[in-house]
Short mmCIF file of all heavy atoms in Angstrom, two decimals:
data_model
loop_
_atom_site.label_atom_id
_atom_site.label_comp_id
_atom_site.label_asym_id
_atom_site.label_seq_id
_atom_site.Cartn_x
_atom_site.Cartn_y
_atom_site.Cartn_z
N SER A 4 -124.66 -7.99 -6.41
CA SER A 4 -124.98 -9.30 -6.99
C SER A 4 -123.70 -10.08 -7.32
O SER A 4 -123.66 -11.30 -7.16
CB SER A 4 -125.82 -9.12 -8.26
OG SER A 4 -125.13 -8.34 -9.22
N LEU A 55 -95.46 -17.51 2.38
CA LEU A 55 -95.27 -16.13 2.84
C LEU A 55 -93.89 -15.57 2.52
O LEU A 55 -93.69 -14.36 2.55
CB LEU A 55 -95.50 -16.05 4.36
CG LEU A 55 -96.92 -15.82 4.87
CD1 LEU A 55 -96.95 -15.94 6.39
CD2 LEU A 55 -97.45 -14.45 4.44
N ALA A 68 -98.66 -6.58 17.98
CA ALA A 68 -98.79 -7.56 19.06
C ALA A 68 -100.22 -8.08 19.15
O ALA A 68 -100.46 -9.27 19.41
CB ALA A 68 -98.37 -6.94 20.39
N ALA A 76 -105.05 -17.09 19.36
CA ALA A 76 -106.32 -17.54 19.93
C ALA A 76 -107.21 -18.17 18.86
O ALA A 76 -107.84 -19.22 19.09
CB ALA A 76 -107.04 -16.37 20.59
N SER A 90 -111.38 -35.40 15.09
CA SER A 90 -110.69 -36.68 14.92
C SER A 90 -111.20 -37.73 15.89
O SER A 90 -111.41 -38.90 15.53
CB SER A 90 -109.17 -36.49 15.09
OG SER A 90 -108.66 -35.59 14.13
N LEU A 103 -122.31 -34.54 10.25
CA LEU A 103 -123.66 -33.99 10.35
C LEU A 103 -123.93 -33.28 11.67
O LEU A 103 -124.79 -32.40 11.74
CB LEU A 103 -124.69 -35.08 10.09
CG LEU A 103 -124.82 -35.38 8.59
CD1 LEU A 103 -125.57 -36.68 8.35
CD2 LEU A 103 -125.52 -34.24 7.86
N ILE A 104 -123.19 -33.60 12.73
CA ILE A 104 -123.28 -32.77 13.94
C ILE A 104 -122.57 -31.45 13.69
O ILE A 104 -123.10 -30.37 13.95
CB ILE A 104 -122.68 -33.49 15.16
CG1 ILE A 104 -123.60 -34.62 15.62
CG2 ILE A 104 -122.47 -32.50 16.32
CD1 ILE A 104 -123.11 -35.37 16.83
N THR A 111 -125.49 -22.53 14.19
CA THR A 111 -124.79 -21.92 15.33
C THR A 111 -124.08 -20.64 14.93
O THR A 111 -124.09 -19.66 15.68
CB THR A 111 -123.79 -22.92 15.94
OG1 THR A 111 -122.85 -23.35 14.95
CG2 THR A 111 -124.51 -24.14 16.49
N THR A 113 -124.89 -18.62 12.51
CA THR A 113 -125.89 -17.59 12.26
C THR A 113 -126.45 -17.04 13.57
O THR A 113 -126.58 -15.82 13.75
CB THR A 113 -127.04 -18.16 11.41
OG1 THR A 113 -126.51 -18.61 10.16
CG2 THR A 113 -128.09 -17.10 11.14
N GLY A 116 -123.51 -15.17 15.37
CA GLY A 116 -122.85 -14.08 14.66
C GLY A 116 -123.75 -13.03 14.04
O GLY A 116 -123.28 -11.94 13.72
N ALA A 117 -125.04 -13.34 13.86
CA ALA A 117 -125.92 -12.37 13.21
C ALA A 117 -126.05 -11.10 14.04
O ALA A 117 -126.18 -11.14 15.27
CB ALA A 117 -127.30 -12.98 12.99
N GLU A 121 -127.59 -6.34 9.70
CA GLU A 121 -126.60 -6.99 8.83
C GLU A 121 -127.22 -8.26 8.26
O GLU A 121 -127.59 -9.17 9.00
CB GLU A 121 -125.35 -7.34 9.64
CG GLU A 121 -124.25 -8.00 8.81
CD GLU A 121 -123.05 -8.34 9.66
OE1 GLU A 121 -123.03 -9.45 10.24
OE2 GLU A 121 -122.13 -7.51 9.75
N ALA A 124 -132.75 -10.59 8.96
CA ALA A 124 -133.09 -10.71 10.39
C ALA A 124 -133.33 -12.17 10.75
O ALA A 124 -133.84 -12.96 9.94
CB ALA A 124 -134.34 -9.89 10.69
N ASN A 143 -128.78 -37.96 14.14
CA ASN A 143 -128.56 -38.48 15.48
C ASN A 143 -129.44 -39.69 15.75
O ASN A 143 -129.02 -40.66 16.38
CB ASN A 143 -128.80 -37.39 16.52
CG ASN A 143 -127.59 -36.49 16.69
OD1 ASN A 143 -126.63 -36.86 17.34
ND2 ASN A 143 -127.63 -35.32 16.07
N SER A 145 -130.44 -41.71 13.44
CA SER A 145 -129.84 -42.76 12.61
C SER A 145 -128.65 -43.41 13.31
O SER A 145 -128.51 -44.64 13.32
CB SER A 145 -129.39 -42.17 11.27
OG SER A 145 -128.69 -43.13 10.50
N HIS A 151 -124.42 -50.30 13.57
CA HIS A 151 -123.55 -51.19 12.81
C HIS A 151 -122.29 -51.57 13.58
O HIS A 151 -121.17 -51.42 13.10
CB HIS A 151 -123.17 -50.55 11.46
CG HIS A 151 -124.31 -50.56 10.48
ND1 HIS A 151 -124.51 -51.56 9.57
CD2 HIS A 151 -125.35 -49.71 10.32
CE1 HIS A 151 -125.60 -51.32 8.84
NE2 HIS A 151 -126.13 -50.19 9.29
N ILE A 155 -122.35 -48.18 22.32
CA ILE A 155 -122.95 -46.95 22.82
C ILE A 155 -121.89 -46.02 23.40
O ILE A 155 -121.98 -44.81 23.26
CB ILE A 155 -124.04 -47.27 23.87
CG1 ILE A 155 -124.78 -45.99 24.28
CG2 ILE A 155 -123.42 -47.96 25.09
CD1 ILE A 155 -125.64 -45.41 23.20
N THR A 166 -119.42 -32.32 19.16
CA THR A 166 -120.01 -31.13 19.80
C THR A 166 -118.92 -30.13 20.20
O THR A 166 -119.09 -28.92 20.05
CB THR A 166 -120.83 -31.54 21.03
OG1 THR A 166 -121.85 -32.46 20.61
CG2 THR A 166 -121.48 -30.33 21.67
N ALA A 174 -117.19 -20.38 17.41
CA ALA A 174 -116.50 -19.23 17.98
C ALA A 174 -115.46 -18.68 17.00
O ALA A 174 -115.34 -17.47 16.80
CB ALA A 174 -115.82 -19.62 19.29
N LEU A 200 -99.25 -19.89 10.04
CA LEU A 200 -97.97 -19.71 10.72
C LEU A 200 -98.16 -19.79 12.24
O LEU A 200 -97.40 -20.48 12.94
CB LEU A 200 -97.37 -18.36 10.33
CG LEU A 200 -95.92 -18.10 10.74
CD1 LEU A 200 -94.99 -19.09 10.08
CD2 LEU A 200 -95.53 -16.67 10.37
N PRO A 212 -95.92 -34.77 23.40
CA PRO A 212 -97.03 -35.65 23.80
C PRO A 212 -97.60 -36.47 22.65
O PRO A 212 -98.06 -37.60 22.86
CB PRO A 212 -98.08 -34.69 24.37
CG PRO A 212 -97.72 -33.35 23.83
CD PRO A 212 -96.24 -33.35 23.67
N PHE A 234 -98.63 -40.98 6.55
CA PHE A 234 -99.08 -39.98 7.52
C PHE A 234 -98.74 -38.57 7.05
O PHE A 234 -99.60 -37.68 7.04
CB PHE A 234 -98.41 -40.26 8.87
CG PHE A 234 -98.65 -39.19 9.91
CD1 PHE A 234 -99.81 -39.19 10.68
CD2 PHE A 234 -97.72 -38.18 10.13
CE1 PHE A 234 -100.04 -38.22 11.65
CE2 PHE A 234 -97.94 -37.20 11.10
CZ PHE A 234 -99.10 -37.22 11.85
N ALA A 240 -101.44 -32.97 2.40
CA ALA A 240 -102.58 -32.81 1.49
C ALA A 240 -103.72 -32.06 2.18
O ALA A 240 -104.31 -31.14 1.60
CB ALA A 240 -103.06 -34.19 1.01
N LEU A 264 -125.47 -15.16 6.11
CA LEU A 264 -125.46 -15.97 4.90
C LEU A 264 -124.20 -16.82 4.80
O LEU A 264 -124.28 -18.02 4.49
CB LEU A 264 -125.56 -15.07 3.65
CG LEU A 264 -125.50 -15.80 2.30
CD1 LEU A 264 -126.56 -16.89 2.23
CD2 LEU A 264 -125.68 -14.81 1.16
N THR A 293 -130.13 -39.74 4.22
CA THR A 293 -130.65 -39.06 3.03
C THR A 293 -131.58 -37.92 3.43
O THR A 293 -131.50 -36.81 2.87
CB THR A 293 -131.39 -40.05 2.13
OG1 THR A 293 -130.51 -41.11 1.73
CG2 THR A 293 -131.93 -39.36 0.88
N LEU A 300 -129.67 -29.21 3.10
CA LEU A 300 -129.45 -28.50 1.84
C LEU A 300 -130.63 -27.57 1.54
O LEU A 300 -130.44 -26.42 1.12
CB LEU A 300 -129.25 -29.50 0.71
CG LEU A 300 -128.89 -28.90 -0.66
CD1 LEU A 300 -127.62 -28.05 -0.56
CD2 LEU A 300 -128.71 -30.00 -1.70
#
Side-chain angles (χ1 to χ4, degrees):
S4 59
L55 273 173
S90 300
L103 282 166
I104 287 181
T111 58
T113 300
E121 181 181 88
N143 278 282
S145 174
H151 286 268
I155 187 69
T166 302
L200 191 63
F234 172 84
L264 177 55
T293 301
L300 185 57

